[in-house]
Amino acid sequence: MTTRMWGGRFSEGPDRILWDFTVDHSDRRLLREDITGSLAHVAMLAETGLLSGVEAGTLTKGLQAIMTEADGNAFRFLESDEDVHSAVERRLGELVGEVAGKLHTGRSRNDQVALDLRLYLLRSAGARIGGLREFCLAMVEAAEQVGDTVVAGYTHLQQAQAVPLAHHLLAYVSTALRDIERFEDVSRRMDVSPLGAGALGGSSLPLDPDRSAELLGMAGRYMNSMDAVAARDHVSEYAFACTQALVHLSRLATECVLWTTTEFGWVTFGDALTTGSSAMPHKKNPDIAELTRGRAATAIGQLTGLMALQKGLPMTYNRDLQEDKAALFTIDDALAGALEAMTALIGSAEFHPSPPDPSVTALDLAEALVERGVPFREAHRVVGAMLATLAGGGRSLSEATIADLVEADPRFEPADLSLTDPAGSVSRRRSTGGAGFASVREQLRILRRRLT
Ligand code: ARG
């Protein structure tokens, strides 16, 4: 037996093959949103006189009882429920009898599922923003913990300039703050009620979509009923917000993997947040970071699927759209999980990075000449040539003498030798927002205020 909302014109019940192929249980996650939408719908129907006060009271009580079951994880789905919408209506019928048949007045599953998904995403956007903030706080704490530790900053994965490790860590807070903005942004566009659009063209009944939106606490109603049931761009946008955040996390994840190598040895993560090898007793593996990268890959694939799903679909609702939920939830779960795990991993980190190679101060030497009026291009060549000479003699910049400097260019002064200290290079860094100690202190001050 099946619970169908559409038996009337059919001479026989659905074949098992049809049922197995078309029914997708991933919408069960929308249970609470579905009930919330129905509660608002009932209230609107009562206000417009489409339901009597008694009927509305009965339906509301029934729906509230179902919400209590949902809250207590006690709601039982039946294999015969076609989707979450029919499951709720079926249960309502069990609880309040015949009058349950009035719930779907002036409504279609098309505007219903569109609403459920918007409500769900508005709630989960809030949760992801919370997760991103926790992540930011963990990064800020790590940055505070490492103090003035100086490391090499890299371009092309080659040591480039000395930077405070804190500055490097805080770069990920800048990315995460934009990720938060993306969720806030898509939430604004998502905060629109499709309820009242019906199947696609509205209704001959005196519905009040504005009131439905108001009862739901949403910013407003749809402008065009066909768009209301057909649109899924907010789903793509939300999925992109998740995927971009995962892509950012995956960059940090790669650095976490790199930094734990024997070759780098910059960080140790907590034992409880790393895994061992079944074969090699010495191994301590950064699986959380690796799987964060892996989940980002999955999210990119699912996001692409969501775009392909909408491409070329004619107006308005098409059953293809049912596929949006499994993809969306996979992406959303990937971010939720990665945020929690990466936040914990960073929280467990002990940093002990090796100092940069003194060659990272080459730019400082060139800039010393620039301050004496030498064109930068020439200064760059002078320092490059000196490094080549040193390397030819098997020496590095840390072994250079004042004689080497003066030989390279007579405008070098004895005090310039001290410029080859990486920590000194960071101390002299004074451009706003740059990798100097003062800039890091300012970022920490701003971030602390913004995040608490
Ligand atoms: N399960 C469907 C979905 O997720 C619900 C809407 C069904 N509407 C319909 N006309 N069959 O898209």
Side-chain angles (χ1 to χ4, degrees):
M1 242 335 271
T2 57
T3 322
R4 280 174 301 145
M5 302 166 126
W6 40 266
R9 58 102 63 221
F10 290 82
S11 60
E12 49 181 356
D15 196 287
R16 187 188 53 79
I17 293 175
L18 169 114
W19 207 251
D20 290 350
F21 187 66
T22 59
V23 170
D24 169 31
H25 291 318
S26 45
D27 68 353
R28 290 182 176 183
R29 280 212 202 188
L30 303 176
L31 176 61
R32 301 184 81 261
E33 285 71 24
D34 199 73
I35 302 165
T36 301
S38 287
L39 280 165
H41 187 60
V42 166
M44 180 278 291
L45 290 177
E47 287 180 22
T48 51
L50 287 160
L51 288 178
S52 73
V54 175
E55 288 168 335
T58 306
L59 292 175
T60 301
K61 269 213 200 75
L63 288 167
Q64 281 164 346
I66 301 175
M67 187 66 100
T68 306
E69 292 179 356
D71 287 341
N73 278 330
F75 184 89
R76 297 248 329 260
F77 284 95
L78 304 182
E79 268 316 300
S80 53
D81 292 328
E82 188 181 5
D83 49 32
V84 66
H85 324 295
S86 20
V88 170
E89 209 176 305
R90 186 253 315 148
R91 182 69 185 131
L92 189 61
E94 290 165 7
L95 292 175
V96 305
E98 199 112 296
V99 65
K102 293 205 165 188
L103 173 65
H104 214 49
T105 306
R107 194 175 66 171
S108 154
R109 280 181 296 172
N110 297 351
D111 56 349
Q112 194 177 354
V113 73
L115 172 66
D116 292 1
L117 206 47
R118 282 173 187 265
L119 292 176
Y120 182 91
L121 289 180
L122 282 168
R123 186 162 57 83
S124 46
R128 282 334 133 245
I129 287 171
L132 282 160
R133 292 175 72 89
E134 291 296 316
F135 168 75
C136 287
L137 280 170
M139 293 302 279
V140 163
E141 262 149 42
E144 284 170 347
Q145 196 193 97
V146 299
D148 287 347
T149 307
V150 168
V151 294
Y154 291 75
T155 63
H156 310 267
L157 205 50
Q158 310 291 319
Q159 296 204 2
Q161 265 188 304
V163 300
L165 176 56
H167 193 65
H168 188 143
L169 297 172
L170 293 180
Y172 286 105
V173 180
S174 279
T175 63
L177 289 176
R178 287 196 301 281
D179 293 331
I180 288 176
E181 280 175 25
R182 261 182 284 276
F183 280 105
E184 291 169 346
D185 219 40
V186 61
S187 293
R188 267 191 296 280
R189 273 184 291 283
M190 236 154 28
D191 198 8
V192 174
S193 167
L195 209 53
L200 75 161
S203 166
S204 64
L205 301 170
L207 306 174
D208 188 347
D210 286 305
R211 183 64 184 137
S212 300
E214 204 180 332
L215 287 161
L216 286 162
M218 299 183 87
R221 62 150 167 93
Y222 58 90
M223 177 154 80
N224 179 303
S225 66
M226 292 178 74
D227 174 55
V229 296
R232 293 292 185 276
D233 48 293
H234 53 284
V235 174
S236 320
E237 266 194 88
Y238 182 95
F240 172 72
C242 291
T243 305
Q244 182 61 68
L246 274 162
V247 165
H248 285 151
L249 285 178
S250 81
R251 297 184 72 160
L252 173 62
T254 282
E255 300 204 291
C256 289
V257 173
L258 197 62
W259 292 347
T260 52
T261 58
T262 309
E263 288 75 5
F264 257 83
W266 279 25
V267 72
T268 306
F269 294 119
D271 275 0
L273 292 156
T274 48
T275 59
S277 157
S278 61
M280 298 160 282
H282 69 288
K283 290 295 292 295
K284 178 168 168 175
N285 296 328
D287 291 28
I288 285 180
E290 294 166 273
L291 280 169
T292 292
R293 277 193 314 214
R295 302 267 157 85
T298 302
I300 290 168
Q302 298 288 343
L303 172 63
T304 308
L306 278 172
M307 302 297 290
L309 184 65
Q310 296 164 66
K311 180 203 162 291
L313 270 195
M315 284 285 166
T316 53
Y317 178 81
N318 299 271
R319 190 69 184 269
D320 317 37
L321 290 176
Q322 175 168 289
E323 296 288 301
D324 63 357
K325 283 171 281 303
L328 178 67
F329 296 150
T330 301
I331 297 171
D332 196 28
D333 289 349
L335 178 60
L339 275 174
E340 187 181 26
M342 287 297 285
T343 301
L345 187 70
I346 291 298
S348 81
E350 270 179 50
F351 291 92
H352 37 70
S354 31
D357 186 271
S359 62
V360 295
T361 62
L363 179 60
D364 297 69
L365 287 172
E367 286 181 348
L369 292 181
V370 167
E371 286 196 296
R372 284 159 214 158
V374 180
F376 178 72
R377 223 11 92 214
E378 190 188 334
H380 183 287
R381 189 190 46 72
V382 165
V383 176
M386 179 182 72
L387 289 172
T389 308
L390 286 170
R395 289 186 300 153
S396 77
L397 192 55
S398 58
E399 294 158 291
T401 63
I402 183 59
D404 294 311
L405 290 189
V406 175
E407 197 190 320
D409 192 297
R411 285 165 290 193
F412 274 123
E413 294 166 9
D416 291 342
L417 208 51
S418 68
L419 294 177
T420 59
D421 169 38
S425 167
V426 173
S427 303
R428 282 187 305 276
R429 202 79 46 68
R430 55 183 158 191
S431 54
T432 325
F437 294 123
S439 158
V440 167
R441 271 190 293 280
E442 198 203 355
Q443 288 174 66
L444 284 172
R445 195 170 44 74
I446 293 169
L447 291 170
R448 272 285 174 204
R449 213 178 35 215
R450 210 168 143 177
L451 292 166
T452 50

